[in-house]
């Protein structure tokens, strides 16, 4: 596990900052996809803020336009190309630099399309070269050319990049990058490379720093968090850092950090959810008893062709085991409908699991063919209309369960971490329960950042209303 020296890149940041001095320049950033991408965008924002750009939500006035892309499903592609058409106008108007990075840039056919049809894009960078953006921007400013900086090999772990976070109560902390699982529908292993874990020391120092700044909640991120350090074989190699040699031991160490009140993580893989992690959740009071456990399908046959390495039965066993060991634990999940070969009977198995587990939240996706993945080559693709019909049926079931689950909250007292003012009603505070339900309540400014006992008085499908006494 190596880390790259980024001193040179920090020098480029200073050089660009000198060029930009006194110019009052602005940057616009669009982030697509998951929390890992959001965390990468926070790093990009950190870099360009140090270069002297200030953030604008208005692309029209931007001098630097950044797109951080996702390619997990097809709709992200349409969105990028639409936005690029818009960006062209502002490039002409403000002579803006356009830089595109992220997962989609690791796909050859996308980069070719950009070259052919979008020649006004200045910088293309990949998931393994984000740390070189300072150098890329400097070169564009000085040479005025075009740059492509995408690497196919697995990037190394990068530490020490500046960061400008979007929130000041909750912080995203990436603990590992990449994935070794090759689920047959998924593009991630091809665009993010193999698993690389950050050093425990770097993670702990980052979280200690966040606690000092007043952050209360930490969301640990990785494509497969419960194999943290496993692919580096830390345990076997005896590389313990203060007793940390696995995800479970990392969780226990973070739980001891003063000031942090809540710990969450996404996403674990059911096949790797070992006993030691379950025990850590049970023992550590700060780890939320709310686990995101992606099932993808409830059919053992489909799970086999998805290469998920568990069955419907073993998933349900895992859920039951966790319920026994962690009192009050609740679950959320990801489900894909319309995977190649999915029969009505297979789909019924998915509905059956949803009924049995009674998830608090379900992220539902229609299967999307991804170039280069095994599932894209499978012959028994499901027609769009059947996929949509199944999606609607699943959605109806999930929504009816959420309605019932929400009702159970009424009259209970929940621990709510107050995050700020509500976006929809700026006179009200908003926060979340341990189970990630949004709660809206009346209260004063000084309650922001506090964990409070809130009585739930009513439910409104996507949020709960609460009161302080
Ligand atoms: N089509 C639809 N959904 C997908 N996901 C991953 N790949 C695809 C795909 N090709 C979903 C999975 C994963 C979530 C992040 O996105 O459910 O857990
Ligand atoms: Fe994709 Fe599967 Fe890896 Fe998740 S575990 S990122 S779904 S390959």
């Amino acid at each position: 596990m190596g880390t790259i020296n980024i001193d040179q890149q920090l020098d480029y940041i200073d050089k660009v900052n000198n060029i930009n001095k006194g110019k009052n320049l602005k940057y616009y950033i669009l982030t697509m996809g998951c929390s890992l991408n959001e965390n990468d965008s926070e790093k990009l924002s950190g870099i360009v803020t140090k270069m002297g750009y200030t953030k604008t939500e208005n692309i029209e006035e931007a001098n630097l336009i950044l797109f951080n892309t996702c390619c997990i499903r097809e709709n992200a592609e349409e969105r990028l190309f639409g936005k690029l058409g818009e960006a062209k106008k502002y490039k002409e108007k403000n002579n803006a630099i356009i830089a595109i990075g992220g997962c989609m840039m690791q796909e050859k056919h996308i980069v070719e399309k950009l070259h052919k049809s979008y020649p006004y894009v200045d910088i293309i960078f990949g998931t393994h070269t984000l740390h070189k953006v300072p150098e890329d921007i400097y070169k564009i400013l000085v040479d005025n050319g075009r740059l492509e900086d995408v690497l196919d090999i697995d990037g190394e772990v990068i530490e020490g990049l500046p960061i400008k976070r979007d929130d000041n109560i909750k912080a995203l902390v990436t603990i590992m990058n990449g994935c070794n699982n090759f689920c047959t529908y998924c593009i991630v292993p091809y665009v993010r490379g193999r698993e690389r874990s950050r050093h425990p020391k770097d993670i702990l120092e980052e979280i200690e720093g966040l606690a000092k700044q007043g952050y209360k909640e930490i969301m640990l991120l990785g494509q497969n968090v419960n194999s943290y350090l496993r692919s580096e074989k830390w345990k076997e190699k005896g590389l313990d850092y203060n007793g940390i040699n696995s995800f479970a031991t990392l969780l226990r160490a973070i739980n001891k950090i003063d000031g942090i009140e809540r710990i969450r993580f996404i996403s674990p893989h059911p096949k790797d959810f070992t006993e030691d992690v379950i025990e850590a959740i049970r023992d550590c009071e700060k780890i939320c008893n709310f686990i995101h456990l992606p099932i993808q399908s409830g059919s053992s046959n489909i799970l086999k062709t998805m290469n998920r390495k568990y069955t419907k039965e073993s998933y349900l066993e895992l859920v039951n085991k966790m319920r026994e060991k962690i009192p009050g634990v609740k679950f959320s999940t990801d489900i894909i409908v319309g995977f190649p070969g999915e029969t009505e009977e297979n789909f019924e198995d998915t509905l059956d699991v949803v009924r049995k587990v009674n998830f608090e939240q379900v992220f539902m996706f229609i299967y999307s063919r991804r170039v280069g993945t095994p599932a894209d080559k499978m012959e028994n693709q499901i027609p769009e209309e059947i996929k949509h019909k199944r999606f609607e049926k699943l959605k109806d079931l999930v929504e009816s369960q959420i309605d019932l689950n929400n009702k159970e909250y009424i009259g209970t007292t929940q621990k709510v971490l107050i995050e700020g003012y509500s976006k929809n009603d700026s006179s009200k505070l908003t926060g979340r329960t341990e189970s990630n339900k949004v709660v809206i309540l009346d209260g004063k400014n000084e309650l922001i950042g506090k964990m409070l006992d809130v009585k739930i008085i009513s439910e409104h499908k996507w949020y709960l209303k609460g009161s302080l006494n």
Side-chain angles (χ1 to χ4, degrees):
M1 188 172 58
T3 31
I4 284 180
N5 185 332
I6 59 150
D7 289 349
Q8 218 190 352
Q9 296 302 325
L10 298 178
D11 281 348
Y12 280 115
I13 293 180
D14 285 342
K15 283 184 187 161
V16 176
N17 188 37
N18 278 332
I19 297 174
N20 286 348
K21 264 208 176 95
K23 291 188 183 156
N24 186 24
L25 300 175
K26 297 204 164 65
Y27 77 97
Y28 168 91
I29 185 161
L30 173 72
T31 309
M32 299 171 174
C34 66
S35 307
L36 276 145
N37 253 18
E38 278 169 32
N39 195 215
D40 280 351
S41 283
E42 291 180 333
K43 289 172 196 158
L44 286 167
S45 292
I47 290 171
V48 302
T49 301
K50 282 227 149 104
M51 288 174 166
Y53 296 94
T54 50
K55 189 169 180 170
T56 174
E57 302 294 332
N58 183 359
I59 189 170
E60 281 182 44
E61 57 172 19
N63 307 93
L64 171 64
I65 297 172
L66 295 162
F67 293 127
N68 190 10
T69 63
C70 163
C71 57
I72 199 127
R73 286 171 293 273
E74 195 178 357
N75 46 14
E77 281 166 30
E78 289 153 18
R79 195 159 159 230
L80 173 70
F81 292 120
K83 271 276 169 196
L84 267 178
E86 198 187 328
K88 186 176 183 211
K89 283 190 274 179
Y90 307 122
K91 180 173 180 72
E92 285 157 5
K93 197 174 135 212
N94 301 334
N95 196 21
I97 297 174
I98 301 180
I100 315 184
C103 295
M104 221 190 275
M105 298 306 108
Q106 298 292 139
E107 295 185 289
K108 287 206 170 57
H109 67 281
I110 298 282
V111 173
E112 274 164 23
K113 182 166 172 181
L114 285 173
H115 281 313
K116 229 171 106 196
S117 311
Y118 301 84
Y120 51 89
V121 171
D122 300 288
I123 301 169
I124 294 174
F125 61 97
T127 55
H128 306 303
T129 45
L130 182 143
H131 63 290
K132 284 175 74 195
V133 164
E135 181 175 346
D136 296 340
I137 293 182
Y138 173 76
K139 286 186 172 157
I140 289 295
L141 280 171
V142 173
D143 295 342
N144 237 336
R146 244 194 123 197
L147 248 165
E148 184 183 317
D149 203 354
V150 181
L151 273 179
D152 265 344
I153 55 154
D154 288 353
E156 306 229 19
V157 176
I158 314 289
E159 298 294 344
L161 284 176
I163 185 156
K164 182 175 172 292
R165 294 179 187 273
D166 292 335
D167 195 294
N168 47 20
I169 309 288
K170 302 191 291 185
L172 304 171
V173 175
T174 300
I175 64 166
M176 60 192 303
N177 240 308
C179 182
N180 293 353
N181 288 317
F182 291 92
C183 302
T184 52
Y185 51 81
C186 187
I187 192 82
V188 168
Y190 306 90
V191 295
R192 288 255 176 195
R194 294 299 71 70
E195 284 174 9
R196 285 112 39 214
S197 303
R198 286 178 70 199
H199 195 290
K201 180 170 182 280
D202 293 318
I203 297 172
L204 292 182
E205 282 177 1
E206 181 176 349
I207 299 176
E208 279 158 7
L210 289 164
K212 286 205 183 90
Q213 290 170 52
Y215 282 89
K216 303 290 181 214
E217 181 174 313
I218 299 297
M219 173 69 99
L220 303 173
L221 304 174
Q223 265 89 22
N224 186 10
V225 285
N226 46 7
S227 71
Y228 174 70
L229 293 183
R230 199 176 294 166
S231 38
E232 278 91 348
K233 298 202 164 53
W234 269 54
K235 225 175 224 165
E236 292 88 324
K237 288 185 192 160
L239 285 171
D240 286 32
Y241 169 78
N242 288 349
I244 301 173
N245 56 23
S246 63
F247 185 51
T249 45
L250 177 73
L251 285 172
R252 287 180 187 274
I254 298 172
N255 192 59
K256 292 197 189 117
I257 298 177
D258 282 341
I260 298 303
E261 298 193 37
R262 261 185 188 166
I263 304 163
R264 301 183 189 272
F265 53 86
I266 45 172
S267 287
H269 193 305
K271 80 176 165 57
D272 295 317
F273 221 112
T274 42
E275 205 80 24
D276 57 343
V277 178
I278 299 175
E279 284 163 10
I281 300 167
R282 180 198 61 197
D283 297 344
C284 298
E285 70 291 354
K286 295 177 185 173
I287 305 176
C288 291
N289 288 348
F290 178 63
I291 313 292
H292 185 62
L293 196 62
I295 184 168
Q296 312 300 357
S297 166
S299 150
S300 297
N301 283 337
I302 294 293
L303 287 168
K304 193 149 199 283
T305 42
M306 283 179 164
N307 193 29
R308 291 290 290 178
K309 302 197 171 77
Y310 54 86
T311 60
K312 174 183 181 184
E313 290 71 29
S314 66
Y315 182 94
L316 288 171
E317 261 167 44
L318 176 62
V319 164
N320 288 337
K321 184 160 77 179
M322 283 161 84
R323 284 196 165 133
E324 268 165 35
K325 295 213 163 179
I326 312 168
V329 70
K330 293 184 161 134
F331 298 93
S332 62
T333 200
D334 290 346
I335 293 176
I336 299 175
V337 298
F339 183 80
E342 185 186 69
T343 61
E344 276 306 316
E345 202 187 335
N346 297 150
F347 176 62
E348 282 300 324
D349 272 324
T350 297
L351 298 178
D352 186 45
V353 174
V354 170
R355 279 187 208 105
K356 288 198 165 110
V357 180
N358 191 10
F359 297 101
E360 285 288 302
Q361 226 176 339
V362 181
F363 299 91
M364 296 167 274
F365 307 106
I366 290 176
Y367 170 68
S368 170
R369 296 176 76 160
R370 304 287 71 207
V371 174
T373 60
D376 182 43
K377 297 184 195 88
M378 293 178 185
E379 277 168 11
N380 39 9
Q381 301 289 329
I382 306 296
E384 286 303 316
E385 60 189 270
I386 295 183
K387 285 190 204 170
H388 280 90
K389 258 194 201 136
R390 288 182 188 163
F391 183 86
E392 289 305 319
K393 201 164 169 191
L394 175 63
K395 191 162 150 257
D396 287 346
L397 171 62
V398 167
E399 287 184 2
S400 69
Q401 283 190 317
I402 289 176
D403 279 349
L404 286 177
N405 289 343
N406 279 355
K407 289 202 171 71
E408 303 259 307
Y409 281 83
I410 299 174
T412 64
T413 298
Q414 300 286 322
K415 288 240 169 302
V416 175
L417 177 61
I418 308 295
E419 295 171 4
Y421 287 103
S422 161
K423 282 201 184 92
N424 297 328
D425 179 352
S426 57
S427 69
K428 298 250 188 306
L429 293 175
T430 177
R432 280 178 194 261
T433 64
E434 183 169 354
S435 57
N436 213 30
K437 293 270 179 206
V438 174
V439 179
I440 306 287
L441 66 156
D442 286 317
K444 297 215 176 79
N445 196 27
E446 56 261 30
L447 299 179
I448 295 172
K450 299 240 161 28
M451 185 86 86
L452 302 174
D453 282 330
V454 175
K455 181 139 190 234
I456 305 302
I457 47 183
S458 60
E459 65 91 12
H460 305 263
K461 198 159 183 173
W462 305 119
Y463 67 95
L464 306 171
K465 260 193 194 150
S467 93
L468 282 174
N469 41 50

